[in-house]
Amino acid sequence: MAIPLGNRVLRIVAIVIALLVIAALGTLYALQREAKAYVERALAPVGTAASVKVAFNLSSVELTDVRLKPPPDWPTADTLHAARVTITPDLRALLSHRVHIRDVTVNDFTMTVLRRESGLILILPNLRESMAQDARTASGAQGESGTPQEKAIDHIFFKNGAFEFYDRSVSNPPWRVTVNRARASVDNVHLPALMEPTRVSVVGDVVGREHTGRVTFDGWVRIANKDSETHTTLRGVDVKSIEPWLLKKAGAKANVSGGTLDLDLTSTVRGYRLHAPGTVTLHNLQLAESHDAVDTFLSIPTRAAVAALKAHKGEITLHFVLEGNLRDPKFKLNENLMTALRAGFAQALGVSAEGVAKGAGQTAKGIADALRNLFVQPAAQASK
């Protein structure tokens, strides 16, 4: 019996649809394998992952136990270790041969940040160098291979992790400060130009010996030319955890036995010129008594500082402004911050900034005058 024409058409249509589905699945499988191979190749120069899984519909890429390699003389075994990294690509961009990542989520991480003796801060240096090398390679090969040079990442999220900050500019071995329970976000990253403002936000707990404080950082940075507007706050940070930044690096120094610190700093950089007004408030600051004349706290003789702090009941607020040209080799951020804090501390105690600049002898004389005003003047007024 002959098969009716309508049934034959339906069979042909069904076969065509089945072939199209098989072809689509085959294409997806091939793209999945290609995407996995691409991720593994991109990761190989800078780190490792225990596994790389690409969703069959290409909607996400998941990496587990990710470790990024450090450069020589790095204080830790990895610059970044994350239990899981999930990447969500833009499928339409993939079909158009563009690199557009909707978001990257980094879970359960530890990231190390290093400040060198020169003051240079390094964040994921090997990854940054690899990205720069890829940009140079893509630029040279774009005309031949059609490899896309432009890459965009909308959002990067860091969740449930820790930042470990090592500072070689204040001590060797480097002074370490840990920020736990940290989360961060980086938005609007356009490679390789990096001329668009990139939004950055960080929050976490600053772990101290006796107190755990809180840090927040928010603002934008134009990475290509270093322009930026940022705001930093510290609340209830253990003074002992940041002791090297408050004390002289050379010679005898005061022994900080307790206290916490609050900070508000608004920083603007335009054309490599920095303008950053700030306020530091010290709460219940306690310094160990010292009979050594060269023992100082913020360049103030410790004995005088202890007496003045008692008069202020351990509470003191310092106002300062950091200004300078970041391209000037003579401009040292640490030293400028210390000078500003010393001047603010002296001013809060009634000593002129000029007195601080003239050295310990003049500072001691100025402190003595300030203490005389603190203790003698109220008594004189009481006798009237």
Side-chain angles (χ1 to χ4, degrees):
M1 179 184 294
I3 299 175
L5 179 61
N7 289 342
R8 280 185 290 174
V9 171
L10 288 175
R11 286 186 181 183
I12 293 171
V13 170
I15 292 171
V16 169
I17 291 174
L19 291 173
L20 289 174
V21 170
I22 293 171
L25 291 175
T27 301
L28 277 174
Y29 181 68
L31 288 174
Q32 182 193 36
R33 294 184 61 185
E34 183 180 345
K36 181 179 179 180
Y38 177 84
V39 171
E40 290 173 341
R41 286 196 306 270
L43 181 63
V46 294
T48 61
S51 66
V52 178
K53 298 179 180 178
V54 180
F56 188 70
N57 61 357
L58 306 180
S59 60
S60 67
V61 179
E62 183 178 279
L63 297 84
T64 60
D65 192 19
V66 178
R67 296 178 182 272
L68 298 187
K69 301 173 185 176
D73 197 26
W74 196 259
T76 57
D78 312 295
T79 59
L80 173 70
H81 178 214
R84 186 173 71 259
V85 177
T86 305
I87 303 169
T88 305
D90 180 350
L91 296 180
R92 288 179 299 178
L94 287 176
L95 295 175
S96 303
H97 301 287
R98 293 184 294 112
V99 178
H100 177 207
I101 306 299
R102 294 192 183 280
D103 63 68
V104 178
T105 303
V106 183
N107 286 283
D108 303 316
F109 69 92
T110 299
M111 181 187 292
T112 304
V113 179
L114 174 65
R115 189 179 194 183
R116 296 204 179 279
E117 294 86 343
S118 63
L120 179 65
I121 296 178
L122 300 180
I123 302 175
L124 305 178
N126 282 2
L127 179 60
R128 293 184 63 184
E129 175 57 31
S130 177
M131 291 167 65
Q133 179 61 42
D134 287 347
R136 290 191 292 268
T137 302
S139 178
Q142 190 174 17
E144 301 173 8
S145 65
T147 303
Q149 183 180 1
E150 297 284 337
K151 301 177 179 67
I153 305 173
D154 292 343
H155 310 286
I156 305 174
F157 302 99
F158 292 86
K159 297 181 177 180
N160 189 34
F163 293 100
E164 293 187 343
F165 183 66
Y166 289 81
D167 194 343
R168 284 203 177 107
S169 70
V170 295
S171 66
N172 191 19
W175 188 263
R176 175 185 172 187
V177 174
T178 300
V179 178
N180 279 341
R181 295 177 58 195
R183 65 179 186 273
S185 63
V186 181
D187 298 337
N188 195 33
V189 180
H190 287 261
L191 300 165
L194 295 172
M195 281 300 298
E196 296 292 326
T198 295
R199 190 83 190 179
V200 181
S201 175
V202 180
V203 297
D205 291 342
V206 183
V207 181
R209 299 177 188 176
E210 298 180 4
H211 303 275
T212 296
R214 191 71 170 166
V215 59
T216 64
F217 175 88
D218 184 74
W220 62 265
V221 180
R222 188 174 284 113
I223 300 172
N225 63 8
K226 307 299 189 296
D227 284 359
S228 64
E229 287 184 8
T230 61
H231 185 71
T232 304
T233 64
L234 299 176
R235 292 292 181 267
V237 173
D238 193 332
V239 172
K240 297 183 73 171
S241 68
I242 57 174
E243 191 173 347
W245 292 289
L246 297 177
L247 303 175
K248 291 175 60 178
K249 289 190 290 184
K253 54 188 180 183
N255 180 20
V256 177
S257 56
T260 61
L261 175 145
D262 295 341
L263 166 74
D264 284 278
L265 179 67
T266 300
S267 171
T268 302
V269 176
R270 292 285 190 280
Y272 289 89
R273 292 205 63 85
L274 168 70
H275 176 73
T279 302
V280 169
T281 301
L282 299 165
H283 300 281
N284 196 31
L285 181 64
Q286 301 170 33
L287 302 178
E289 295 279 0
S290 173
H291 300 287
D292 193 332
V294 298
D295 229 5
T296 65
F297 178 79
L298 289 177
S299 293
I300 304 298
T302 301
R303 292 181 65 187
V306 168
L309 285 167
K310 286 180 179 178
H312 286 76
K313 298 181 180 180
E315 305 280 325
I316 195 163
T317 298
L318 320 178
H319 300 278
F320 62 92
V321 178
L322 297 176
E323 290 188 295
N325 186 346
L326 299 180
R327 280 181 164 170
D328 184 353
K330 296 180 181 179
F331 179 78
K332 304 293 184 184
L333 188 59
N334 266 14
E335 295 176 8
N336 279 265
L337 176 59
M338 286 300 301
T339 299
L341 289 178
R342 288 166 189 156
F345 189 55
Q347 185 178 15
L349 299 181
V351 185
S352 70
E354 182 182 359
V356 175
K358 286 183 178 178
Q362 291 293 325
T363 301
K365 181 179 183 300
I367 282 289
D369 293 340
L371 294 178
R372 192 175 298 110
N373 290 335
L374 283 171
F375 298 116
V376 176
Q377 197 171 26
Q381 290 175 350
S383 63
K384 290 183 180 179

